[in-house]
Amino acid sequence: MEHLISLNDLTLEEIEQILNLSEKLKRQQKEGVIHHHLKGKTLGMIFTKSSTRTRVSFEVGMYQLGGYALFLSSNDIQLGRGETIYDTAQVLSRYLDGIMIRTFDHSDVEDLARYGNKPVINGLTDLMHPCQVLADLFTVYEHKGTLKGLKLAYLGDGNNVAHSLLHGCSKVGMDIAVASPKDYMCNEKIVEEAKEAAKISGSKVIITEDPVEAIKDADVVYTDTWVSMGQESEKQVRLKIFEPYRVDENLFSKAKEDAIFLHCLPAYRGYEVTEEVIDGPQSVIFDEAENRLHVQKAIMTILMGK
């Protein structure tokens, strides 16, 4: 593994390596064991999209690994003033040991990896969110003791989180059902990639417009905001279209009795999920948020600690 751009690029063994190291690093942190695997290393963090969990978890993670995280907003670097990705990648590769980028265009991440010579981590694009989904898989494993054979139901917008869930679940042998309105379904190419991976892992990929069909017998129920960054002008239209996909107590009850609830946050209570569900006893959203730290530490250690 040279970069983390898409979960579709990873083998099952590479995903398991990340999850196993995440478990080890989390346990060591709780025990007070110092693990400076990246002592003297520097991570450049490029943000053209703002963030809470991504910025804090990567900065704290680098500190706990003995390294240094350098925050670079689009206003802080020449990339935001028209410098090419090629020139930026070439220059940053001479200063840094790794680059994390959270941006709009997925091609920017791919180009940074193509033109530079240091590991690149996709902190989020409009197309994918692999770090989040690795944390999701780790959280499911902690609460269920396994991944293979479980069913995850995702209800809502066929967005970057849904895309990475399709890649991740199909790689590890989890069934995944995605329910979205007709005009808001997942990227067809990514669905096909997930179905190919599912043939190998023995899992199922279900794409439907029916939230009840998707959530039936689910071990994990997942949703995300209906209005992502950059879609604010569509808010009123989206709120009306997505209303049948709101995860309330009635819909959640159609999953398995011991199902857990996930949300990548930020959440808009009363829209995609009700307070009774997101604040209920089966919600593990804050374990999920914490696990961004441990998983990203594992990713950085594997990529930058060679």
Side-chain angles (χ1 to χ4, degrees):
M1 186 170 77
E2 297 181 8
H3 308 283
L4 179 62
I5 298 174
S6 165
L7 295 186
N8 193 51
D9 299 333
L10 304 187
T11 64
L12 173 60
E13 291 72 25
E14 287 171 330
I15 292 175
E16 289 176 339
Q17 181 189 18
I18 293 169
L19 300 183
N20 290 337
L21 183 55
S22 302
E23 186 176 40
K24 178 180 178 181
L25 293 174
K26 183 174 184 177
R27 183 176 66 253
Q28 288 180 339
Q29 181 182 317
K30 303 297 184 186
E31 294 170 352
V33 176
I34 294 173
H35 39 244
H36 285 172
H37 302 306
L38 298 182
K39 187 175 182 180
K41 300 289 182 75
T42 302
L43 175 75
M45 305 189 305
I46 300 173
F47 284 87
T48 61
K49 272 191 173 186
S50 59
S51 167
T52 300
R53 279 150 293 278
T54 299
R55 179 176 179 180
V56 174
S57 56
F58 270 107
E59 282 199 23
V60 172
M62 275 300 286
Y63 173 78
Q64 292 179 355
L65 291 168
Y68 178 73
L70 181 66
F71 175 77
L72 302 167
S73 77
S74 55
N75 295 324
D76 296 325
I77 57 176
Q78 298 302 322
L79 189 61
R81 298 182 180 88
E83 185 171 40
T84 65
I85 290 281
Y86 175 84
D87 290 352
T88 300
Q90 289 284 319
V91 171
L92 292 182
S93 291
R94 299 195 178 205
Y95 295 146
L96 304 169
D97 300 290
I99 300 169
M100 187 283 299
I101 178 169
R102 180 180 170 96
T103 190
F104 293 88
D105 294 333
H106 191 74
S107 60
D108 287 351
V109 182
E110 295 174 322
D111 287 346
L112 271 178
R114 179 180 298 116
Y115 299 131
N117 58 21
K118 295 295 168 63
V120 172
I121 300 170
N122 178 1
L124 173 143
T125 66
D126 284 348
L127 188 65
M128 297 176 192
H129 201 352
C131 290
Q132 175 64 56
V133 169
L134 286 167
D136 299 334
L137 295 176
F138 181 42
T139 306
V140 173
Y141 179 77
E142 282 189 319
H143 285 269
K144 295 295 185 180
T146 188
L147 294 174
K148 191 170 180 63
L150 298 181
K151 178 184 177 182
L152 182 145
Y154 175 92
L155 312 178
D157 193 13
N159 60 14
N160 48 8
V161 172
H163 291 156
S164 288
L165 282 168
L166 280 165
H167 281 151
C169 290
S170 61
K171 289 272 184 175
V172 302
M174 289 179 66
D175 294 345
I176 178 168
V178 178
S180 307
K182 182 178 180 181
D183 294 329
Y184 298 87
M185 288 187 165
C186 291
N187 179 288
E188 290 182 5
K189 181 174 183 290
I190 290 176
V191 172
E192 288 307 310
E193 289 171 345
K195 287 181 176 178
E196 286 301 311
K199 290 178 183 177
I200 298 171
S201 69
S203 60
K204 297 176 184 175
V205 174
I206 300 166
I207 305 296
T208 179
E209 294 180 51
D210 185 355
V212 176
E213 177 189 356
I215 204 170
K216 186 178 184 298
D217 295 327
D219 300 280
V220 183
V221 178
Y222 200 123
T223 191
D224 189 14
T225 178
W226 296 337
V227 186
S228 296
M229 198 177 300
Q231 298 172 338
E232 289 80 5
S233 63
E234 304 172 29
K235 181 176 179 178
Q236 294 309 315
V237 173
R238 283 175 167 267
L239 292 184
K240 184 176 181 180
I241 290 173
F242 281 97
E243 190 169 350
Y245 298 84
R246 178 179 296 120
V247 183
D248 57 18
E249 286 182 298
N250 178 55
L251 187 55
F252 190 75
S253 70
K254 301 184 188 310
K256 285 186 178 177
E257 189 175 345
D258 62 347
I260 58 174
F261 175 78
L262 297 180
H263 192 306
C264 57
L265 301 178
Y268 300 93
R269 289 166 164 79
Y271 291 112
E272 70 268 15
V273 60
T274 61
E275 290 186 350
E276 290 78 12
V277 173
I278 196 169
D279 295 326
Q282 289 163 266
S283 173
V284 296
I285 60 168
F286 297 119
D287 290 346
E288 178 187 9
E290 178 191 340
N291 284 337
R292 289 288 303 277
L293 170 65
H294 308 300
V295 165
Q296 284 156 192
K297 284 166 66 176
I299 293 166
M300 292 186 290
T301 298
I302 292 167
L303 289 177
M304 298 168 61
K306 296 175 182 177

